Amino acid sequence: MKKILVLNGPNLNLLGTREPQIYGADTLADVERGLIEQGARQGAEVSCFQSNHEGALIDRIHAARLDGTHWIIINPGGLTHTSVALRDALAGVAIPVVEVHISNIHKREEFRHHSFITAIAEGMICGLGVKGYKAALNWILERG
């Protein structure tokens, strides 16, 4: 069974209430529940983790190296544009990564256009709303 870890960074716990014109009305719990159910239907185990703390995300990435995780789907939130440490943790565990952003980061403020994660990711999905998570999971599961 394929094990997939879904990581969400700072402020994504506010989904559903934070700037709904940008991020939509779905809560993080809604997104996670949908991914877990979708994974189960397709024979995969999906686990989810969110933190507003960079170190907690890095610790969870390190743990993934030892817990049998095959893929990571990550929405690093604001750490996308600032965290070399998060990028290094992902590269260091050598687990393939798909980067997801709810909004189109390239249509937003200039500082959001750069991602430290994209260069090490297998793919990046942005601008599809929370459906981007499902697209990432589908892509991973289709790869076999």
Side-chain angles (χ1 to χ4, degrees):
M1 177 178 280
K2 197 170 275 193
K3 288 183 69 171
I4 300 159
L5 173 61
V6 179
L7 292 176
N8 280 285
N11 301 311
L12 288 159
N13 58 303
L14 298 177
L15 281 180
T17 59
R18 175 188 176 208
E19 301 173 278
Q21 71 281 9
I22 295 174
Y23 299 105
D26 292 314
T27 67
L28 184 58
D30 295 333
V31 172
E32 291 175 341
R33 185 173 36 259
L35 293 171
I36 291 167
E37 290 170 359
Q38 177 184 352
R41 283 191 306 271
Q42 294 181 259
E45 178 185 333
V46 176
S47 62
C48 302
F49 182 80
Q50 186 276 329
S51 182
N52 293 318
H53 304 281
E54 182 179 33
L57 292 165
I58 291 169
D59 288 344
R60 184 60 188 96
I61 292 165
H62 290 181
R65 182 174 63 107
L66 303 174
D67 71 7
T69 296
H70 298 104
W71 282 86
I72 296 173
I73 296 170
I74 186 167
N75 181 342
L79 295 174
T80 302
H81 324 291
T82 63
S83 182
V84 173
L86 189 61
R87 177 246 182 253
D88 288 350
L90 290 165
V93 298
I95 297 170
V97 174
V98 177
E99 180 181 0
V100 172
H101 298 283
I102 296 168
S103 67
N104 182 346
I105 61 174
H106 303 289
K107 287 182 71 174
R108 298 191 62 200
E109 304 92 337
E110 183 72 27
F111 71 87
R112 295 188 195 275
H113 296 184
H114 178 263
S115 167
F116 281 102
I117 308 304
T118 303
I120 61 161
E122 297 295 315
M124 192 261 274
I125 299 167
C126 71
L128 300 182
V130 295
K131 291 180 181 175
Y133 290 97
K134 291 179 181 181
L137 182 56
N138 280 334
W139 184 79
I140 290 168
L141 294 174
E142 287 172 3
R143 291 189 65 144

